[in-house]
Amino acid sequence: SLTGSPVTLKILQNWVPRVSHYFDKEHYTYAGHQIVIQESIEHFGAVVWPGALALSQYLESNQEQFNLKDKKVLEIGAGTGLLSIVACILGAHVTATDLPEVLENLSYNISRNTQNLNMHKPEVRKLVWGEDLNEDFPVSTYHYDFILATDVVYHHGALDPLLATMVYFCKPGTVLLWANKFRFSTDYEFLEKVCNIFNTTILAEFPESNVKLLKATVRKN
């Protein structure tokens, strides 16, 4: 069951589109910093999707409600790294994760956009949803204040491992912020599963982009 009445927002066009055949460099501005993102057309994970724009914009605008300063933040399915870079600029200890084939571009974007800033140095790590979580991120060592996920739900076969990954990292006290463009019935089925497991609130909706932004926390027994 969902709680809360979401605000209705629009994704602001705060980037300058560039046109090229292979690599696109997109220029964004968040929290007073220009961010340059290199995209690759080879991988789903190497393009900036609307959910990342929506959540970046929301975190920038709602820093009192979600204060990331000195918080431990894990992004799953970080893609190009835009959201992780924004979280870093907002003062978080960020760990950006994705599949091995995406990590090179992800690392490039994150290091390039954070290297000269006085902030916690972000970490980039491999995370395959549902695999080796106990080995790579043992519960005794890793506890995150925020889990960020954007446009991780679309037509793919890894929805169950994704849900298992969200459950694994969401401990008492952890806030999961998930923004997604809702396109398919499977997206809504996944949302229903999230609502069955977590306390879930819709924070914002971006109707023009079909993006919903949700906050989920562990149910107290």
Side-chain angles (χ1 to χ4, degrees), residues 72-74 93-97 123-127 132-147 165 167-172 174:
K72 290 192 164 60
V73 170
L74 174 74
H93 293 269
V94 176
T95 303
T97 67
E123 192 182 2
V124 175
R125 292 186 58 178
K126 177 192 82 158
L127 194 162
D132 303 327
L133 297 177
N134 281 313
E135 291 80 30
D136 295 345
F137 296 89
V139 175
S140 54
T141 317
Y142 294 94
H143 182 280
Y144 295 97
D145 300 297
F146 291 93
I147 310 297
T165 302
V167 169
Y168 178 83
F169 284 112
C170 272
K171 307 294 178 215
T174 302

Side-chain angles (χ1 to χ4, degrees), residues 87-102:
C88 207
I89 290 168
L90 294 174
H93 293 269
V94 176
T95 303
T97 67
D98 212 315
L99 297 168
E101 60 267 26
V102 179

Side-chain angles (χ1 to χ4, degrees), residues 33-141:
H33 292 268
Q34 188 177 32
I35 300 168
V36 181
I37 295 292
Q38 174 173 283
E39 296 186 329
S40 160
I41 53 174
E42 291 188 321
H43 300 293
F44 272 140
V47 178
V48 176
W49 296 101
L53 300 174
L55 186 47
S56 294
Q57 180 178 316
Y58 193 86
L59 288 174
E60 177 188 35
S61 308
N62 293 274
Q63 293 179 50
E64 286 175 15
Q65 185 184 0
F66 297 109
N67 179 7
L68 299 189
K69 190 159 171 49
D70 300 328
K71 297 291 195 299
K72 290 192 164 60
V73 170
L74 174 74
E75 185 179 6
I76 57 175
T80 60
L82 174 66
L83 179 59
S84 281
I85 293 162
V86 172
C88 207
I89 290 168
L90 294 174
H93 293 269
V94 176
T95 303
T97 67
D98 212 315
L99 297 168
E101 60 267 26
V102 179
L103 293 185
E104 188 181 348
N105 193 54
L106 174 60
S107 299
Y108 172 80
N109 282 331
I110 286 184
S111 62
R112 171 196 178 136
N113 285 286
T114 60
Q115 60 192 4
N116 299 323
L117 299 177
N118 181 21
M119 57 177 68
H120 306 299
K121 190 170 168 22
E123 192 182 2
V124 175
R125 292 186 58 178
K126 177 192 82 158
L127 194 162
V128 182
W129 297 334
E131 290 185 19
D132 303 327
L133 297 177
N134 281 313
E135 291 80 30
D136 295 345
F137 296 89
V139 175
S140 54
T141 317

Side-chain angles (χ1 to χ4, degrees), residues 14-15 27-35 60:
N14 59 347
W15 73 95
H27 296 242
Y28 302 86
T29 307
Y30 288 103
H33 292 268
Q34 188 177 32
I35 300 168
E60 177 188 35

